[in-house]
Amino acid sequence: MGRVTCQLSLSLDGFGAAPGQGPDHPLGVGGERLHRWAFGPPPPDPADAAIARDLLSRDGAYVMGRRMFGGGEGPWDRSWRGWWGEDTPFPGPVFVLTHHPREPLVTGGGTTFTFVTGGIHEALGAAREAAGDRDVAVAGGMSTARQFLRANLLDEVFLHLVPVLLGRGERLFEGRFDARLEPVEVIPSPAATHIRLRVRRDGDRPDRA
Amino acid sequence: MGRVTCQLSLSLDGFGAAPGQGPDHPLGVGGERLHRWAFGPPPPDPADAAIARDLLSRDGAYVMGRRMFGGGEGPWDRSWRGWWGEDTPFPGPVFVLTHHPREPLVTGGGTTFTFVTGGIHEALGAAREAAGDRDVAVAGGMSTARQFLRANLLDEVFLHLVPVLLGRGERLFEGRFDARLEPVEVIPSPAATHIRLRVRRDGDRPDRA
């Protein structure tokens, strides 16, 4: 069975998204700076580019919140196909948390979005089954990542700490968490400090690698 | 002339102090975990110990807020000598921001605390004069560090990101800052990710070192 991971880009002041999220600004107005380390501009450093490539190659399935799929509330407008377009960056199936049932959606590029109304455990179960031996990635947004971290369902948190100050927006770490995190790898680049943290379980021995 | 630096230990969720600050808990209840990378327990890793040693050796003078000197509000009780005891960790003079005048205090170990009522620019001027060619360190707390960062008076911010989640307390980055920060050195250890950031001035060339 693969691991359950969550990788997020955060500003130095802790925000994973800026205010004003919408189709033109999925990470809010100014929030696109959080992803420049991976996608540019300017062209990413080789170390950053390798991290971005590696991330998508390890994952067998994805879980995301409804807002990350593409905003909206209430019952679905079936003509709405989300923010990701037909050629999504996701090489595996995506499970979308929602309170409102909807049939799966298959994009032109072959990404399947499955809508899960039973909460994070149900979504994770479905994603694990789809992923097989590969990892399940909790893709976001912040609220979904927080739910998984609080429920202690993550094995790894990989933070890309970007040296910008957004000043406001949505924080990943808001409120109390019992998670015990242990840095196992740090990769610095001018564009981001990449910190891979293992989530320790009871009974784990400290790993000072 | 030396530089103006500020080095702070922050939890992964951005807090530089936990709630409940007082004589027994200068960093709040549970906040002492923020300084374990430097002081233990357990005994610090060699990389961490070297960073801790280096920090105090470079500084010629310090600026701190009144709460960091030792709490309290209103006019001074002249018998109150602060939280730092007679043998402080500060090898140079300390300038304390306060609204209430007080004569300088010299500890048994030889640290001089000078009380400055004219605000951060006056305190910085006095500290620069005392430091000569050495650096001035803004020692904290969070509110004082924020004031210096907002006024664009810092040349360097050195963050020690500790993999604990405090859940509440006082954040360093709260609200808007115009500062442009550029990571120039990252030193990982199991106990903290040390990120040295240069504060860019207008006219600086990007330094991708």
Side-chain angles (χ1 to χ4, degrees):
Chain A
M1 196 164 72
R3 298 167 313 149
V4 184
T5 68
C6 181
Q7 61 91 14
L8 295 166
S9 297
L10 300 182
S11 66
L12 203 57
D13 48 353
F15 297 103
Q21 288 172 268
D24 293 337
H25 299 283
L27 289 174
V29 177
E32 64 280 356
R33 286 184 291 167
L34 296 176
H35 281 187
R36 282 204 188 134
W37 68 267
F39 305 118
D45 268 30
D48 293 321
I51 291 170
R53 266 197 314 274
D54 181 53
L55 283 169
L56 285 170
S57 70
R58 292 181 318 172
D59 301 325
Y62 302 85
V63 177
M64 67 174 59
R66 174 168 179 172
R67 279 201 294 160
M68 186 171 177
F69 170 74
E73 284 179 16
W76 291 99
D77 169 357
R78 300 296 160 100
S79 68
W80 170 237
R81 297 175 66 81
W83 285 345
W84 296 94
E86 297 304 313
D87 285 309
T88 79
F90 305 107
V94 181
F95 296 85
V96 180
L97 294 160
T98 172
H99 296 296
H100 300 275
R102 174 175 181 173
E103 291 298 307
L105 180 155
V106 183
T107 70
T111 300
T112 302
F113 289 96
T114 301
F115 300 89
V116 179
T117 55
I120 57 173
H121 289 87
E122 184 178 312
L124 180 56
R128 273 191 191 285
E129 196 171 317
D133 289 337
R134 301 178 75 192
D135 290 353
V136 170
V138 176
M142 295 303 118
S143 156
T144 299
R146 270 198 301 274
Q147 284 185 66
F148 274 85
L149 189 57
R150 276 222 171 84
N152 204 22
L153 295 175
L154 300 178
D155 298 303
E156 180 181 295
V157 178
F158 194 12
L159 301 179
H160 316 290
L161 200 59
V162 179
V164 300
L165 296 169
L166 291 182
R168 60 211 178 101
E170 203 175 349
R171 286 196 154 104
L172 170 62
F173 296 117
E174 195 70 75
R176 305 299 291 258
F177 298 90
D178 290 329
R180 291 175 302 145
L181 302 170
E182 182 177 42
V184 291
E185 186 180 18
V186 175
I187 305 167
S189 92
T193 303
H194 307 279
I195 307 177
R196 195 188 297 275
L197 300 133
R198 191 169 70 121
V199 182
R200 286 185 57 193
R201 310 284 180 184
D202 288 333
D204 281 359
R205 290 190 313 172
D207 179 349
R208 294 176 69 89
Chain B
M1 196 164 71
R3 297 167 313 148
V4 185
T5 69
C6 181
Q7 61 92 13
L8 295 167
S9 297
L10 300 182
S11 66
L12 203 56
D13 48 353
F15 297 104
Q21 288 173 268
D24 292 337
H25 299 283
L27 289 174
V29 177
E32 64 280 356
R33 287 183 291 166
L34 296 176
H35 281 185
R36 281 203 190 134
W37 68 267
F39 304 118
D45 269 30
D48 294 320
I51 290 169
R53 267 197 313 275
D54 181 54
L55 283 169
L56 285 170
S57 70
R58 292 180 319 171
D59 301 325
Y62 302 86
V63 177
M64 68 173 59
R66 174 169 179 171
R67 281 201 293 160
M68 186 170 176
F69 170 73
E73 284 180 15
W76 291 98
D77 168 358
R78 300 296 159 103
S79 67
W80 170 238
R81 297 174 69 80
W83 286 344
W84 295 94
E86 297 304 314
D87 285 309
T88 80
F90 305 106
V94 181
F95 296 84
V96 180
L97 295 161
T98 172
H99 296 295
H100 300 277
R102 176 177 181 172
E103 291 298 307
L105 179 156
V106 183
T107 70
T111 301
T112 302
F113 289 96
T114 301
F115 301 89
V116 179
T117 55
I120 56 174
H121 289 88
E122 184 179 312
L124 180 57
R128 273 192 192 283
E129 196 171 318
D133 289 338
R134 302 179 74 194
D135 289 353
V136 170
V138 175
M142 295 304 116
S143 155
T144 299
R146 269 198 301 273
Q147 283 184 68
F148 275 85
L149 189 57
R150 274 220 175 85
N152 205 20
L153 295 174
L154 300 178
D155 298 304
E156 180 182 294
V157 177
F158 194 11
L159 300 180
H160 317 290
L161 199 59
V162 179
V164 300
L165 296 169
L166 292 181
R168 58 210 178 101
E170 202 176 350
R171 289 189 203 269
L172 169 61
F173 297 116
E174 194 71 74
R176 305 298 291 256
F177 297 90
D178 290 328
R180 289 176 303 145
L181 302 170
E182 182 178 41
V184 290
E185 186 180 18
V186 175
I187 305 167
S189 93
T193 303
H194 307 280
I195 307 177
R196 194 188 298 276
L197 300 134
R198 191 169 69 122
V199 182
R200 286 185 56 192
R201 313 280 180 185
D202 287 333
D204 281 0
R205 289 192 313 172
D207 179 348
R208 295 176 65 90

Short mmCIF file of all heavy atoms in Angstrom, two decimals, chain B residues 119-164:
data_model
loop_
_atom_site.label_atom_id
_atom_site.label_comp_id
_atom_site.label_asym_id
_atom_site.label_seq_id
_atom_site.Cartn_x
_atom_site.Cartn_y
_atom_site.Cartn_z
N GLY B 119 11.35 55.30 20.47
CA GLY B 119 10.92 54.44 19.35
C GLY B 119 12.08 53.70 18.70
O GLY B 119 13.23 53.80 19.12
N ILE B 120 11.72 52.96 17.64
CA ILE B 120 12.69 52.03 17.07
C ILE B 120 13.86 52.73 16.39
O ILE B 120 14.98 52.24 16.45
CB ILE B 120 12.02 51.03 16.08
CG1 ILE B 120 11.27 51.75 14.97
CG2 ILE B 120 11.08 50.09 16.84
CD1 ILE B 120 10.73 50.80 13.89
N HIS B 121 13.61 53.88 15.75
CA HIS B 121 14.73 54.55 15.09
C HIS B 121 15.76 55.04 16.10
O HIS B 121 16.96 54.93 15.90
CB HIS B 121 14.23 55.70 14.21
CG HIS B 121 13.50 55.24 12.98
ND1 HIS B 121 12.14 54.97 12.98
CD2 HIS B 121 13.94 54.95 11.73
CE1 HIS B 121 11.78 54.56 11.77
NE2 HIS B 121 12.85 54.54 11.00
N GLU B 122 15.26 55.59 17.21
CA GLU B 122 16.18 56.06 18.25
C GLU B 122 16.95 54.88 18.85
O GLU B 122 18.17 54.95 19.07
CB GLU B 122 15.40 56.80 19.34
CG GLU B 122 16.31 57.39 20.40
CD GLU B 122 15.50 58.16 21.47
OE1 GLU B 122 14.65 58.98 21.07
OE2 GLU B 122 15.73 57.92 22.68
N ALA B 123 16.23 53.80 19.11
CA ALA B 123 16.89 52.62 19.70
C ALA B 123 17.95 52.07 18.74
O ALA B 123 19.06 51.70 19.16
CB ALA B 123 15.85 51.54 20.02
N LEU B 124 17.62 52.04 17.45
CA LEU B 124 18.57 51.52 16.47
C LEU B 124 19.80 52.41 16.39
O LEU B 124 20.94 51.92 16.32
CB LEU B 124 17.91 51.37 15.11
CG LEU B 124 18.79 50.83 13.99
CD1 LEU B 124 19.37 49.46 14.37
CD2 LEU B 124 18.02 50.73 12.68
N GLY B 125 19.58 53.72 16.41
CA GLY B 125 20.72 54.64 16.37
C GLY B 125 21.66 54.42 17.54
O GLY B 125 22.89 54.35 17.37
N ALA B 126 21.09 54.28 18.73
CA ALA B 126 21.92 54.06 19.92
C ALA B 126 22.65 52.72 19.84
O ALA B 126 23.83 52.61 20.20
CB ALA B 126 21.05 54.12 21.18
N ALA B 127 21.94 51.71 19.35
CA ALA B 127 22.55 50.38 19.26
C ALA B 127 23.66 50.36 18.22
O ALA B 127 24.72 49.77 18.42
CB ALA B 127 21.48 49.33 18.92
N ARG B 128 23.44 51.04 17.09
CA ARG B 128 24.48 51.12 16.05
C ARG B 128 25.74 51.78 16.60
O ARG B 128 26.85 51.33 16.35
CB ARG B 128 23.98 51.96 14.88
CG ARG B 128 23.20 51.21 13.83
CD ARG B 128 23.06 52.15 12.62
NE ARG B 128 22.12 51.69 11.63
CZ ARG B 128 22.37 50.73 10.74
NH1 ARG B 128 23.53 50.09 10.76
NH2 ARG B 128 21.46 50.39 9.85
N GLU B 129 25.54 52.85 17.34
CA GLU B 129 26.69 53.56 17.89
C GLU B 129 27.45 52.64 18.85
O GLU B 129 28.68 52.57 18.83
CB GLU B 129 26.22 54.82 18.62
CG GLU B 129 27.35 55.79 18.87
CD GLU B 129 26.83 57.14 19.37
OE1 GLU B 129 25.81 57.61 18.83
OE2 GLU B 129 27.44 57.68 20.32
N ALA B 130 26.70 51.90 19.66
CA ALA B 130 27.35 51.00 20.62
C ALA B 130 28.04 49.83 19.91
O ALA B 130 29.07 49.33 20.37
CB ALA B 130 26.33 50.47 21.61
N ALA B 131 27.46 49.38 18.80
CA ALA B 131 27.98 48.19 18.12
C ALA B 131 29.21 48.49 17.27
O ALA B 131 29.99 47.58 16.99
CB ALA B 131 26.89 47.55 17.25
N GLY B 132 29.39 49.74 16.87
CA GLY B 132 30.54 50.06 16.01
C GLY B 132 30.45 49.30 14.70
O GLY B 132 29.44 49.37 14.01
N ASP B 133 31.48 48.53 14.36
CA ASP B 133 31.49 47.79 13.10
C ASP B 133 30.74 46.47 13.19
O ASP B 133 30.60 45.78 12.18
CB ASP B 133 32.94 47.50 12.68
CG ASP B 133 33.65 48.75 12.23
OD1 ASP B 133 32.95 49.71 11.85
OD2 ASP B 133 34.89 48.78 12.26
N ARG B 134 30.30 46.10 14.36
CA ARG B 134 29.63 44.81 14.49
C ARG B 134 28.12 44.97 14.21
O ARG B 134 27.61 46.07 14.02
CB ARG B 134 29.89 44.24 15.88
CG ARG B 134 31.41 44.09 16.11
CD ARG B 134 31.72 43.55 17.49
NE ARG B 134 31.41 42.13 17.60
CZ ARG B 134 31.34 41.48 18.75
NH1 ARG B 134 31.53 42.14 19.90
NH2 ARG B 134 31.08 40.19 18.77
N ASP B 135 27.43 43.84 14.17
CA ASP B 135 26.00 43.86 13.84
C ASP B 135 25.15 44.32 15.02
O ASP B 135 25.53 44.16 16.19
CB ASP B 135 25.52 42.46 13.44
CG ASP B 135 26.07 42.01 12.09
OD1 ASP B 135 26.70 42.83 11.40
OD2 ASP B 135 25.85 40.84 11.75
N VAL B 136 24.02 44.87 14.71
CA VAL B 136 22.96 45.09 15.70
C VAL B 136 21.93 43.99 15.51
O VAL B 136 21.46 43.77 14.38
CB VAL B 136 22.30 46.47 15.53
CG1 VAL B 136 21.06 46.59 16.42
CG2 VAL B 136 23.30 47.58 15.85
N ALA B 137 21.57 43.32 16.58
CA ALA B 137 20.57 42.26 16.50
C ALA B 137 19.28 42.74 17.15
O ALA B 137 19.28 43.20 18.29
CB ALA B 137 21.06 41.00 17.20
N VAL B 138 18.19 42.64 16.40
CA VAL B 138 16.88 42.87 16.98
C VAL B 138 16.47 41.54 17.63
O VAL B 138 16.21 40.54 16.96
CB VAL B 138 15.86 43.31 15.91
CG1 VAL B 138 14.46 43.43 16.51
CG2 VAL B 138 16.31 44.63 15.29
N ALA B 139 16.46 41.54 18.96
CA ALA B 139 16.35 40.28 19.69
C ALA B 139 14.91 39.79 19.81
O ALA B 139 14.65 38.62 20.06
CB ALA B 139 16.97 40.44 21.08
N GLY B 140 13.95 40.68 19.66
CA GLY B 140 12.54 40.30 19.79
C GLY B 140 11.86 41.22 20.77
O GLY B 140 12.44 42.24 21.16
N GLY B 141 10.60 40.91 21.19
CA GLY B 141 9.83 39.77 20.72
C GLY B 141 9.20 40.02 19.35
O GLY B 141 9.69 40.84 18.57
N MET B 142 8.13 39.32 19.12
CA MET B 142 7.50 39.34 17.80
C MET B 142 7.08 40.74 17.38
O MET B 142 7.24 41.15 16.24
CB MET B 142 6.26 38.43 17.80
CG MET B 142 6.56 36.96 18.00
SD MET B 142 7.74 36.28 16.82
CE MET B 142 9.07 35.84 17.94
N SER B 143 6.50 41.49 18.32
CA SER B 143 5.98 42.81 17.98
C SER B 143 7.11 43.75 17.60
O SER B 143 7.01 44.53 16.64
CB SER B 143 5.17 43.34 19.17
OG SER B 143 5.12 44.73 19.15
N THR B 144 8.21 43.66 18.31
CA THR B 144 9.38 44.49 17.98
C THR B 144 9.97 44.08 16.64
O THR B 144 10.29 44.94 15.80
CB THR B 144 10.43 44.37 19.11
OG1 THR B 144 9.85 44.84 20.32
CG2 THR B 144 11.67 45.17 18.79
N ALA B 145 10.07 42.78 16.41
CA ALA B 145 10.60 42.31 15.12
C ALA B 145 9.72 42.79 13.97
O ALA B 145 10.21 43.23 12.93
CB ALA B 145 10.71 40.79 15.13
N ARG B 146 8.41 42.71 14.17
CA ARG B 146 7.47 43.19 13.14
C ARG B 146 7.67 44.67 12.84
O ARG B 146 7.66 45.09 11.70
CB ARG B 146 6.03 42.97 13.60
CG ARG B 146 5.42 41.65 13.21
CD ARG B 146 3.91 41.70 13.32
NE ARG B 146 3.45 42.02 14.66
CZ ARG B 146 3.25 41.13 15.62
NH1 ARG B 146 3.45 39.85 15.40
NH2 ARG B 146 2.83 41.49 16.80
N GLN B 147 7.83 45.47 13.90
CA GLN B 147 8.04 46.90 13.70
C GLN B 147 9.27 47.17 12.85
O GLN B 147 9.25 48.01 11.94
CB GLN B 147 8.21 47.61 15.05
CG GLN B 147 6.94 47.85 15.82
CD GLN B 147 7.24 48.64 17.09
OE1 GLN B 147 7.62 49.81 17.04
NE2 GLN B 147 7.12 47.99 18.24
N PHE B 148 10.36 46.48 13.15
CA PHE B 148 11.60 46.69 12.38
C PHE B 148 11.44 46.22 10.93
O PHE B 148 11.94 46.86 10.01
CB PHE B 148 12.78 45.98 13.06
CG PHE B 148 13.43 46.81 14.13
CD1 PHE B 148 12.94 46.80 15.43
CD2 PHE B 148 14.53 47.61 13.84
CE1 PHE B 148 13.52 47.58 16.42
CE2 PHE B 148 15.13 48.38 14.82
CZ PHE B 148 14.63 48.37 16.12
N LEU B 149 10.76 45.10 10.74
CA LEU B 149 10.57 44.59 9.38
C LEU B 149 9.68 45.54 8.58
O LEU B 149 9.96 45.85 7.42
CB LEU B 149 9.96 43.19 9.44
CG LEU B 149 9.88 42.39 8.14
CD1 LEU B 149 11.26 42.24 7.50
CD2 LEU B 149 9.25 41.02 8.38
N ARG B 150 8.61 46.02 9.22
CA ARG B 150 7.70 46.95 8.52
C ARG B 150 8.39 48.24 8.15
O ARG B 150 8.11 48.84 7.11
CB ARG B 150 6.51 47.28 9.42
CG ARG B 150 5.43 46.30 9.32
CD ARG B 150 4.03 46.82 9.31
NE ARG B 150 3.21 45.64 9.06
CZ ARG B 150 2.82 44.81 10.02
NH1 ARG B 150 3.05 45.08 11.30
NH2 ARG B 150 2.15 43.73 9.72
N ALA B 151 9.29 48.72 9.04
CA ALA B 151 9.98 49.99 8.78
C ALA B 151 11.17 49.78 7.85
O ALA B 151 11.91 50.73 7.58
CB ALA B 151 10.42 50.61 10.10
N ASN B 152 11.35 48.55 7.37
CA ASN B 152 12.43 48.22 6.44
C ASN B 152 13.81 48.56 7.00
O ASN B 152 14.67 49.06 6.31
CB ASN B 152 12.21 48.93 5.10
CG ASN B 152 12.90 48.21 3.95
OD1 ASN B 152 13.22 47.01 4.06
ND2 ASN B 152 13.16 48.91 2.87
N LEU B 153 14.00 48.26 8.28
CA LEU B 153 15.27 48.56 8.94
C LEU B 153 16.18 47.34 9.05
O LEU B 153 17.30 47.45 9.55
CB LEU B 153 15.00 49.11 10.36
CG LEU B 153 14.29 50.46 10.41
CD1 LEU B 153 13.96 50.83 11.86
CD2 LEU B 153 15.16 51.54 9.78
N LEU B 154 15.71 46.19 8.61
CA LEU B 154 16.52 44.97 8.75
C LEU B 154 17.29 44.68 7.46
O LEU B 154 16.78 44.88 6.36
CB LEU B 154 15.63 43.77 9.07
CG LEU B 154 14.81 43.85 10.36
CD1 LEU B 154 13.95 42.60 10.51
CD2 LEU B 154 15.73 44.01 11.57
N ASP B 155 18.51 44.21 7.62
CA ASP B 155 19.29 43.73 6.48
C ASP B 155 19.15 42.23 6.30
O ASP B 155 19.30 41.71 5.20
CB ASP B 155 20.78 44.05 6.68
CG ASP B 155 21.03 45.54 6.76
OD1 ASP B 155 20.63 46.25 5.82
OD2 ASP B 155 21.60 46.00 7.78
N GLU B 156 18.90 41.55 7.41
CA GLU B 156 18.84 40.08 7.35
C GLU B 156 17.82 39.56 8.36
O GLU B 156 17.73 40.06 9.47
CB GLU B 156 20.22 39.50 7.67
CG GLU B 156 20.26 37.98 7.64
CD GLU B 156 21.63 37.44 8.00
OE1 GLU B 156 22.58 37.67 7.22
OE2 GLU B 156 21.75 36.81 9.07
N VAL B 157 17.07 38.56 7.94
CA VAL B 157 16.16 37.83 8.83
C VAL B 157 16.62 36.37 8.81
O VAL B 157 16.75 35.78 7.73
CB VAL B 157 14.70 37.94 8.36
CG1 VAL B 157 13.79 37.11 9.26
CG2 VAL B 157 14.25 39.39 8.32
N PHE B 158 16.91 35.84 9.96
CA PHE B 158 17.41 34.46 10.05
C PHE B 158 16.37 33.67 10.86
O PHE B 158 16.22 33.88 12.07
CB PHE B 158 18.77 34.46 10.73
CG PHE B 158 19.54 33.16 10.60
CD1 PHE B 158 19.15 32.16 9.73
CD2 PHE B 158 20.70 32.96 11.35
CE1 PHE B 158 19.88 30.98 9.60
CE2 PHE B 158 21.43 31.78 11.23
CZ PHE B 158 21.02 30.79 10.36
N LEU B 159 15.64 32.82 10.16
CA LEU B 159 14.56 32.08 10.81
C LEU B 159 15.00 30.66 11.13
O LEU B 159 15.62 30.00 10.30
CB LEU B 159 13.33 32.04 9.90
CG LEU B 159 12.74 33.39 9.52
CD1 LEU B 159 11.53 33.20 8.63
CD2 LEU B 159 12.36 34.19 10.77
N HIS B 160 14.66 30.21 12.31
CA HIS B 160 14.89 28.83 12.71
C HIS B 160 13.52 28.18 12.79
O HIS B 160 12.77 28.42 13.74
CB HIS B 160 15.61 28.77 14.06
CG HIS B 160 16.73 29.76 14.16
ND1 HIS B 160 17.90 29.62 13.45
CD2 HIS B 160 16.85 30.92 14.85
CE1 HIS B 160 18.68 30.65 13.71
NE2 HIS B 160 18.08 31.45 14.56
N LEU B 161 13.20 27.42 11.76
CA LEU B 161 11.86 26.87 11.65
C LEU B 161 11.83 25.50 12.35
O LEU B 161 12.46 24.55 11.89
CB LEU B 161 11.50 26.74 10.17
CG LEU B 161 10.03 26.62 9.83
CD1 LEU B 161 9.25 27.83 10.32
CD2 LEU B 161 9.89 26.48 8.32
N VAL B 162 11.13 25.45 13.45
CA VAL B 162 11.14 24.28 14.32
C VAL B 162 9.92 23.42 14.01
O VAL B 162 8.80 23.94 13.93
CB VAL B 162 11.13 24.74 15.80
CG1 VAL B 162 11.12 23.54 16.74
CG2 VAL B 162 12.33 25.63 16.08
N PRO B 163 10.12 22.10 13.81
CA PRO B 163 8.99 21.26 13.38
C PRO B 163 8.03 20.91 14.51
O PRO B 163 7.80 19.75 14.81
CB PRO B 163 9.68 20.02 12.82
CG PRO B 163 10.96 19.92 13.58
CD PRO B 163 11.38 21.36 13.85
N VAL B 164 7.50 21.94 15.15
CA VAL B 164 6.43 21.73 16.13
C VAL B 164 5.26 22.61 15.72
O VAL B 164 5.43 23.60 14.99
CB VAL B 164 6.86 22.09 17.58
CG1 VAL B 164 8.04 21.23 18.01
CG2 VAL B 164 7.19 23.57 17.72
#
